[in-house]
Amino acid sequence: MNRLAGVTSPYLLQHAENPVDWWPWGAEAFAEARRRDVPVLLSVGYSACHWCHVMAHESFEDEATAAYLNEHFVSVKVDREERPDVDAVYMEAVQAATGQGGWPMTVFLNAEGEPFYFGTYFPPAPRHGMPSFRQVLEGVNSAWTDRREEVGEVAGRIVGELAGRSLAHGGDGTPGESELHAALLALTREYDPASGWLGGGDTKFPASMVIEFLVRHHARTESEGALEMAEGMCDAMARSSLFDQLGGGFHRYVLRQRSNGTLVPHFEKMLYDNALLCRTYARLWRATGSDLARRVALETADFMVRELRTAEGGFASALDADSEDSSGKHVEGAYYVWTPEQLSEVLGEDDAEFAARYYGVTEDGTFEEGASVLQLPQGEGVVDAARVESVRQRLLAARDTRHRPGRDDKIVAAWNGLAIAALAETGAYFERPDLVERATEAADLLVRVHMDETARLARTSKDGRVGANAGVLEDYGDVAEGFLALAGVTGEGVWLDFAGFLLDTVLAQFAGEGGALYDTAHDAEPLIRRPQDPTDNATPSGWTSAAGALLSYAAHTGSEPHRTAAEGALGVVKALGPRAPRFIGWGLAVAEALLDGPREVAVVGPPGDPATVALHRTALLGTAPGAVIAVGRPADGEAEFPLLAGRPLVGGRAAAYVCRGFVCSAPTNEVDVLRGQLTVRV
């Protein structure tokens, strides 16, 4: 019996009709394996994963394969987005055993949850030296039946090795000028100025967290090299097929084609990538005034609202890479690619030739079966902008008639926290109050549905129904970060309060020895290893996102425990930053804020007063790393924001107060003076 019909995960629901007798992760599945004396097949993936879909169609929908699985295994299906802790623990084992990882992840366990055989995607027939999935199943079953003692020894050794791994924390102290300079030099060695990408491999992922570090480093030190790298990376991403040139928003990653050198995307679109990149480009615009950065930030924000916003006011997790082509076949990228003939059908001959040149559509195609991905190989500023916009709008309208990629409607707390921060700041920078309103609605949803009366977060929800899985550290860190950004933009102190509740839970439930943080709470379900990872993946690590939120909250409130916890957590950045800056970019960005103070800005004045609005906007556009902003009426006693307490009007007019490291500048009524206090090294 397949037991997935009652779950909330869209990924698991995709498998609810499989002939495989799937179980969701839980004690019941392992009890069943113990009762039957069979191993557990753990299959981990997510809804927008192309190869997860491929393996499902090839193997899990196959009656003969399912029958073999049902007879010899207890099969457990996990959505890695709902259970990042389960995913992290077994992915660590897979990578340690095989040297690589990915999804779908396929792991064989005993009834105690101990792994003994690993893999990712397995084909239905032997291919390129890979065994077939059926061969793997038969081999594991044979080992379980005939060599049980050996299986037990392997499982015990793997668990022992994982348990024995210690995290190098970096010792005493926080990262200083020398560590951040070393990190910058390391990135310089990895950066290719000709292409604008980091690293030398063919697969290119967005580098949002690294770019945030570079922009902050430039703001604090005036390093032109840091800003040039940030601009180069953003330019390369925006002009490549990583960015959806018609509808806005970013795909997951690009892969260089060996045949023609074209960068072709893996077409899934993830909320986290788009939230992070929206904020990245908005902040690059804040630093440089770049028209390209402005356009990309706004188009990405509009994409999130248009394509990912749910009826409840939150933001869905992802759009699939695959969709139906004109023949009804599910094909990766079918929604996004174009042939010259398709351009002609929509645009007519003259505009089609123009569009083909502008977007890099060729007769042979740059993708598959004569189709091309859209990119900007010739750059911008060399053609008629009005003509480009006309072509784009007509192609977008035609594309809207195609079969759309599926959407994973699951709301993930952490990723919505990232979206809240991005939309709040982008809306404020570009005077788009609708975007700030969308951020506020998403924040309301997280409080109403995901957050209980004890300030514990649920990881996911769907259709307004909260999921069963507890939030992990990245949920607390990213949601607190979103609430703090929203507080600074809106002047509503309640968001500062909610952030404080969440960060108190971080201190109570996630803190370890010596400043270390764990990815799961002290009272979380025990696994074979308690996950703990300070390095970034596609999103900031929970460790460093929590450190950043703790630091900002301490700057707002003067809380010594929160600042002490933030400084302790940054010890790992001191160790890893100079050696592996690509993988701890958010921690480096937080370290920049720590070195700068961060600065505390209080804007006091009547709401809606033009002088108050002007000072508040100037504060928001200041580039001092990690600066926190409070705005509101002056208060003699208790204020909505602690930074406003005891800060009166100056000369009866709205005023701004800037403090840094227990030293305050003279209050000012003048936007030019405030701008200097936030953009000039002092």
Side-chain angles (χ1 to χ4, degrees):
M1 180 180 70
N2 190 316
R3 296 162 178 82
L4 301 183
V7 302
T8 58
S9 162
Y11 174 63
L12 267 58
L13 290 172
Q14 289 172 359
H15 295 268
E17 300 300 323
N18 290 169
V20 177
D21 292 343
W22 288 115
W23 293 71
W25 176 273
E28 297 85 355
F30 290 94
E32 177 68 6
R34 195 173 296 112
R35 184 187 69 80
R36 289 176 50 198
D37 190 29
V38 296
V40 172
L41 163 70
L42 173 64
S43 176
V44 182
Y46 58 102
S47 70
C49 167
H50 171 70
W51 287 103
C52 299
H53 296 320
V54 171
M55 190 167 176
H57 296 322
E58 291 174 342
S59 296
F60 300 141
E61 294 174 7
D62 178 70
E63 295 285 350
T65 302
Y68 192 89
L69 273 170
N70 296 339
E71 181 179 355
H72 298 288
F73 299 87
V74 168
S75 300
V76 175
K77 178 62 75 171
V78 168
D79 183 340
R80 67 175 295 260
E81 297 171 350
E82 285 204 333
R83 291 301 303 263
D85 53 338
V86 172
D87 177 65
V89 165
Y90 291 104
M91 184 60 74
E92 184 179 15
V94 171
Q95 291 173 330
T98 68
Q100 59 186 4
W103 299 275
M105 176 167 60
T106 307
V107 186
F108 294 90
L109 322 172
N110 63 22
E112 307 310 313
E114 298 170 338
F116 60 88
Y117 189 80
F118 314 90
T120 52
Y121 164 78
F122 289 107
R127 185 187 307 166
H128 305 305
M130 297 172 62
S132 71
F133 187 46
R134 182 60 177 263
Q135 287 174 327
V136 170
L137 295 178
E138 291 173 350
V140 169
N141 179 57
S142 175
W144 181 267
T145 303
D146 301 330
R147 303 189 303 279
R148 182 74 64 88
E149 183 176 342
E150 178 184 334
V151 168
E153 289 175 356
V154 170
R157 184 175 69 250
I158 291 169
V159 171
E161 290 174 355
L162 292 175
R165 290 187 172 195
S166 61
L167 182 64
H169 183 251
D172 297 330
T174 57
E177 196 70 60
S178 62
E179 286 84 11
L180 297 180
H181 182 65
L184 178 66
L185 289 179
L187 289 170
T188 301
R189 289 191 291 269
E190 292 193 63
Y191 175 66
D192 176 12
S195 69
W197 296 94
L198 278 177
D202 288 334
T203 304
K204 307 293 185 182
F205 287 90
S208 307
M209 290 75 79
V210 167
I211 295 170
E212 179 69 16
F213 159 61
L214 293 171
V215 171
R216 289 188 181 192
H217 189 75
H218 169 263
R220 190 179 60 81
T221 68
E222 299 179 349
S223 165
E224 289 303 318
L227 187 61
E228 286 173 6
M229 278 195 286
E231 289 183 295
M233 283 188 270
C234 284
D235 189 75
M237 290 189 293
R239 296 184 187 279
S240 76
S241 60
L242 183 73
F243 185 64
D244 180 352
Q245 303 294 341
L246 298 184
F250 288 85
H251 301 293
R252 181 69 195 92
Y253 61 84
V254 287
L255 178 65
R256 189 174 302 281
Q257 300 272 77
R258 295 293 177 89
S259 59
N260 56 26
T262 301
L263 291 174
V264 170
H266 185 48
F267 291 92
E268 65 194 36
K269 285 183 171 182
M270 311 301 296
L271 173 61
Y272 52 74
D273 285 322
N274 284 283
L276 287 165
L277 288 166
C278 176
R279 198 181 193 192
T280 293
Y281 280 88
R283 289 188 164 191
L284 181 66
W285 171 84
R286 186 176 67 173
T288 66
S290 161
D291 289 336
L292 176 67
R294 175 190 177 95
R295 176 176 68 81
V296 172
L298 286 171
E299 288 184 11
T300 304
D302 287 335
F303 156 75
M304 287 193 289
V305 172
R306 183 181 67 248
E307 301 288 344
L308 296 179
R309 187 169 179 268
T310 69
E312 297 75 36
F315 292 90
S317 298
L319 297 181
D320 284 354
D322 302 0
S323 57
E324 288 186 21
D325 64 11
S326 57
S327 68
K329 180 182 177 182
H330 272 266
V331 177
E332 185 178 12
Y335 185 69
Y336 299 102
V337 298
W338 294 83
T339 63
E341 293 74 20
Q342 290 170 330
L343 294 180
S344 294
E345 290 173 5
V346 175
L347 301 173
E349 185 175 342
D350 289 344
D351 277 349
E353 291 179 359
F354 167 81
R357 289 194 305 273
Y358 185 74
Y359 287 122
V361 177
T362 68
E363 288 294 333
D364 293 335
T366 58
F367 180 50
E368 296 174 354
E369 298 183 0
S372 294
V373 295
L374 302 191
Q375 51 194 324
L376 300 181
Q378 296 181 348
E380 293 178 279
V382 296
V383 292
D384 183 349
R387 189 179 190 187
V388 170
E389 183 60 18
S390 171
V391 163
R392 188 180 76 86
Q393 290 294 342
R394 283 182 283 161
L395 291 177
L396 184 60
R399 194 178 76 175
D400 284 343
T401 66
R402 296 177 176 178
H403 291 284
R404 305 182 72 83
R407 187 173 83 168
D408 183 335
D409 283 335
K410 175 175 74 271
I411 304 295
V412 175
W415 306 349
N416 273 257
L418 297 175
I420 290 163
L423 293 174
E425 292 183 359
T426 302
Y429 297 165
F430 302 121
E431 300 180 285
R432 285 278 304 273
D434 58 307
L435 297 179
V436 179
E437 187 175 347
R438 301 293 86 76
T440 303
E441 290 165 350
D444 285 336
L445 175 70
L446 292 182
V447 171
R448 285 187 291 104
V449 176
H450 286 247
M451 190 171 172
D452 69 16
E453 63 277 3
T454 66
R456 302 300 292 270
L457 278 174
R459 171 72 174 173
T460 63
S461 69
K462 185 175 182 296
D463 301 327
R465 174 185 164 199
V466 69
N469 299 308
V472 295
L473 182 59
E474 73 160 351
D475 294 305
Y476 288 85
D478 290 340
V479 173
E481 173 81 12
F483 287 173
L484 290 166
L486 191 59
V489 166
T490 64
E492 296 177 3
V494 66
W495 300 117
L496 176 64
D497 295 338
F498 281 130
F501 299 150
L502 296 176
L503 294 171
D504 286 344
T505 300
V506 169
L507 297 183
Q509 286 289 338
F510 293 87
E513 297 294 324
L517 295 170
Y518 286 95
D519 292 335
T520 55
H522 296 322
D523 58 3
E525 174 191 352
L527 301 172
I528 59 169
R529 171 177 167 87
R530 190 177 181 189
Q532 182 187 44
D533 188 355
T535 60
D536 299 330
N537 198 292
T539 59
S541 73
W543 184 313
T544 56
S545 66
L550 287 163
L551 183 66
S552 296
Y553 184 77
H556 264 293
T557 63
S559 168
E560 191 59 34
H562 291 83
R563 185 174 178 100
T564 298
E567 291 177 349
L570 290 176
V572 73
V573 182
K574 182 177 182 178
L576 296 182
R579 294 190 286 115
R582 283 177 62 189
F583 303 102
I584 200 158
W586 195 256
L588 291 166
V590 176
E592 288 288 346
L594 179 67
L595 281 185
D596 197 64
R599 303 184 202 204
E600 304 151 9
V601 187
V603 176
V604 294
D609 178 74
T612 306
V613 171
L615 288 169
H616 184 212
R617 178 166 176 77
T618 300
L620 290 168
L621 294 179
T623 57
V628 300
I629 300 167
V631 59
R633 298 180 184 276
D636 295 330
E638 185 174 343
E640 192 167 11
F641 288 90
L643 290 179
L644 300 178
R647 264 74 187 263
L649 301 177
V650 175
R653 298 164 54 201
Y657 295 74
V658 178
C659 298
R660 179 191 185 204
F662 306 107
V663 176
C664 296
S665 303
T668 182
N669 308 115
E670 304 300 325
V671 296
D672 288 341
V673 174
L674 175 60
R675 187 177 298 113
Q677 292 174 346
L678 293 175
T679 57
V680 177
R681 297 177 67 191
V682 295

